[in-house]
């Protein structure tokens, strides 16, 4: 573990996008982190509007969001140790795993390696593998790399909207036909992640994937202003009628947020920054404590 001063997280009392406002690389987001801030605020506002104190729906399962760029965004000294630390901590806290890819390819390879290592301590563990929208040949290659650890394959469609990444590794704006080819190449559930525009909803209705993940990358994508909570409220019914499962991420911090996500039809939620913050601050025990807080009716995830 590094000293606290080496990390890019500011360890705010509550993770709401204020301490790291606009910091990219770092833990913030574009537009002075306005969508990061909106994500957190959106769940709180909908909780006040939608919850009546008599919520009987099962809470969504919790899964680690795919996170890469440990050196540039988190402040770890090296990428490889980050994935090992993060995935072991997530397993210890009893949440599902996700891994993602990035540039260079070692980011995905480290995630695969770390998942295999976690399985030595937590038998049968697998990960949702999210791949950027390269040409299909490259996606299929990465699906093959990760077949020993994958429980779900997904394409992170809105990575296309990260302009620097798109230009660097030739990302594509995926069509339903291209995604259908990938879906047919595996017997595992197939997901599309990063649904956050009306155009994305149209893609879902045409493709009908196994899993749809409503996400704006924690507010780091510059497509439109707004929160994932509000988008789920507006489009959740349409999305759920055109997929097997509906997931959501970005800005979820409390038990009440989980209740709202369940009310809006989500069967899983993904958590990113607060897990990394807890790991950097207090290691595995910090992540375990953070997840206990998330499942508690009172505490807020990310609070010290």
């Amino acid at each position: 573990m590094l000293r606290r001063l080496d990390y890019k997280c500011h360890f705010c009392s509550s993770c709401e996008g204020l301490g790291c406002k606009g910091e990219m690389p770092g833990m913030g987001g574009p537009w002075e982190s306005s969508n990061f801030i909106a994500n957190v605020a959106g769940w709180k506002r909908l909780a006040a509007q939608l919850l009546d104190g008599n919520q009987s729906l099962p809470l969504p399962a919790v899964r680690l969001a795919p996170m890469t760029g440990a050196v540039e965004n988190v402040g770890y000294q090296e990428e490889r140790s980050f994935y090992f630390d993060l995935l072991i901590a997530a397993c210890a806290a009893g949440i599902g795993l996700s891994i993602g890819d990035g540039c260079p390819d070692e980011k995905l390879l480290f995630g695969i390696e770390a998942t295999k290592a976690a399985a030595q301590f937590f038998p049968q563990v697998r990960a949702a593998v999210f791949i950027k929208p390269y040409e299909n040949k490259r996606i299929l290659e990465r699906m093959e790399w990760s077949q020993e650890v994958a429980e779900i394959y997904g394409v992170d469609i809105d990575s296309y909207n990260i302009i620097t990444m798109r230009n660097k590794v030739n990302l594509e704006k995926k069509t339903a036909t291209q995604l259908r080819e990938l879906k047919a190449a595996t017997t595992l559930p197939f997901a599309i992640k990063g649904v956050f525009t009306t155009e994305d909803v149209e893609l879902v209705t045409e493709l009908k994937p196994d899993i749809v993940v409503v996400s704006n990358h924690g507010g780091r994508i510059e497509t439109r202003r707004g929160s994932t909570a509000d988008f789920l409220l507006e489009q959740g019914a349409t999305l759920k009628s055109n997929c097997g499962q509906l997931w959501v991420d970005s800005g979820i911090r409390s038990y009440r947020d989980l209740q709202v996500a369940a009310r809006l039809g989500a069967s899983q939620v993904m958590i990113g920054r607060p897990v990394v913050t807890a790991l950097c601050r207090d290691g595995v025990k910090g992540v375990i404590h953070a997840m206990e807080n998330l499942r508690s009716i009172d505490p807020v995830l990310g609070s010290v």
Side-chain angles (χ1 to χ4, degrees), residues 31-267:
W31 299 328
E32 288 298 293
S33 297
S34 63
N35 273 14
F36 178 178
I37 295 167
N39 284 334
V40 178
W43 294 107
K44 291 182 179 179
R45 177 169 36 77
L46 290 185
Q49 293 175 6
L50 300 178
L51 301 183
D52 57 13
N54 186 29
Q55 305 303 311
S56 59
L57 292 172
L59 292 180
V62 180
R63 181 179 293 269
L64 176 70
M67 299 189 74
T68 63
V71 173
E72 58 265 45
N73 291 319
V74 180
Y76 252 66
Q77 290 178 335
E78 52 141 2
E79 294 282 339
R80 185 175 181 272
S81 63
F82 171 75
Y83 302 110
F84 279 71
D85 292 347
L86 183 64
L87 268 58
I88 291 291
C91 288
I95 62 175
L97 301 186
S98 298
I99 58 174
D101 72 340
C103 184
D105 289 340
E106 66 180 13
K107 292 180 179 179
L108 176 59
L109 296 174
F110 287 153
I112 294 168
E113 186 182 359
T115 306
K116 290 179 179 179
Q120 296 180 24
F121 302 96
F122 302 92
Q124 307 305 314
V125 71
R126 296 289 186 273
V129 180
F130 291 100
I131 303 170
K132 289 183 170 55
Y134 308 104
E135 63 175 334
N136 277 11
K137 180 180 178 181
R138 292 188 69 190
I139 295 175
L140 290 167
E141 178 185 48
R142 283 153 178 73
M143 289 169 66
E144 184 176 353
W145 290 353
S146 57
Q147 62 184 348
E148 290 184 50
V149 303
E151 63 173 336
I152 293 160
Y153 287 118
V155 177
D156 203 350
I157 60 170
D158 64 351
S159 295
Y160 174 83
N161 297 302
I162 304 175
I163 296 174
T164 53
M165 178 65 72
R166 179 173 76 207
N167 294 338
K168 187 173 185 178
V169 294
N170 299 316
L171 301 182
E172 297 181 344
K173 189 175 182 65
K174 287 299 184 186
T175 66
T177 298
Q178 290 172 315
L179 293 169
R180 197 173 288 116
E181 177 188 353
L182 299 170
K183 185 175 185 291
T186 178
T187 59
L188 295 178
F190 183 77
I192 58 172
K193 178 180 178 291
V195 172
F196 194 59
T197 68
T198 54
E199 187 177 7
D200 296 336
V201 175
E202 293 169 2
L203 182 65
V204 169
T205 59
E206 187 175 353
L207 177 64
K208 293 180 170 53
D210 300 303
I211 299 166
V212 165
V213 185
V214 171
S215 172
N216 60 14
H217 272 243
R220 291 171 75 90
I221 294 294
E222 300 175 71
T223 51
R224 58 183 289 272
R225 305 254 180 168
S227 74
T228 55
D230 288 306
F231 189 81
L232 188 60
L233 175 67
E234 296 162 8
Q235 301 290 348
T238 299
L239 292 171
K240 193 169 183 180
S241 67
N242 286 282
C243 69
Q245 294 183 38
L246 185 57
W247 298 6
V248 64
D249 77 7
S250 305
I252 295 163
R253 299 291 184 268
S254 72
Y255 183 92
R256 285 170 63 81
D257 297 345
L258 294 181
Q259 289 181 305
V260 173
R263 179 80 175 266
L264 298 179
S267 60

